[in-house]
Amino acid sequence: GVSDAASSDLAGGYDLITVFEAFHDMAQPVAILAELARLLGTDGSIVIADTKTSERFEVPPTDAFEAYHYGWSIMQCLHGGLQGGGAGTGTVMRPETLRRYAEAASLGRIDILPIEHDSWRFYRLFRDERPTLDSAANRPSASPSSRSSSSTPRAGRRRCSSAACTR
């Protein structure tokens, strides 16, 4: 079945929750991350794919693509993110901003995944501390004693995206 990710009666136990090109628009990012963390299963994680920007603010922007994102932020994303006293993250969300939100939501670790893409940066968040990925080998750099290595889906497990959850 499919469920609304905003449903208050949604139970936890998800292996993976995804948010694609939407997190920077959310007015209450810490509350959203805390709720997503509550829905995770023991070995679950959250993957956020969002706009790829430079690591830090620079004037003028280092490339035309970043200036383009500022335009979108002013015209659309920042406005929505300020609604109801929101954080106002906007399109140009830097990795450090997401790290601060994750820490405030009591998430134990955030990784930038080694996925090359011109427009998006991919993050993976965990509730607890995990071994970090060795980006060259794309494997854990420390022994993941509490982590399941199975890559095949288990029967009956739920999957959740930014819009809906499925079983």
Side-chain angles (χ1 to χ4, degrees):
V2 176
S3 300
D4 184 338
S7 175
S8 62
D9 64 343
L10 196 59
Y14 294 92
D15 291 328
L16 178 65
I17 299 173
T18 62
V19 181
F20 287 91
E21 191 56 26
F23 190 77
H24 68 264
D25 292 315
M26 297 179 184
Q28 305 299 326
V30 174
I32 295 292
L33 285 177
E35 181 62 12
L36 295 179
R38 182 190 71 77
L39 294 171
L40 288 175
T42 303
D43 291 327
S45 64
I46 302 164
V47 171
I48 296 177
D50 217 301
T51 306
K52 185 177 185 177
T53 61
S54 63
E55 296 282 327
R56 57 192 142 77
F57 179 73
E58 296 174 355
V59 177
T62 55
D63 63 34
F65 203 51
E66 185 142 334
Y68 172 80
H69 288 310
Y70 277 113
W72 271 109
S73 195
I74 291 167
M75 297 303 293
Q76 175 64 36
C77 304
L78 190 57
H79 172 72
L82 288 168
Q83 297 301 305
T89 305
T91 310
V92 187
M93 180 178 71
R94 307 204 189 279
E96 188 53 38
T97 302
L98 186 56
R99 281 187 184 97
R100 281 194 324 269
Y101 292 158
E103 184 177 295
S106 298
L107 286 159
R109 191 172 119 222
I110 176 173
D111 289 340
I112 296 177
L113 297 176
I115 300 171
E116 294 298 322
H117 195 277
D118 290 339
S119 303
W120 288 13
R121 182 174 285 123
F122 297 84
Y123 305 90
R124 189 169 183 192
L125 297 84
F126 300 92
R127 281 191 302 194
D128 57 1
E129 289 295 326
R130 303 273 172 152
T132 60
L133 284 177
D134 173 333
S135 60
N138 197 18
R139 64 178 185 265
S141 61
S143 175
S145 58
S146 65
R147 193 174 187 174
S148 170
S149 61
S150 173
S151 61
T152 55
R154 289 172 266 177
R157 291 298 200 149
R158 291 176 250 168
R159 286 157 184 78
C160 186
S161 73
S162 58
C165 300
T166 61
R167 190 177 269 254

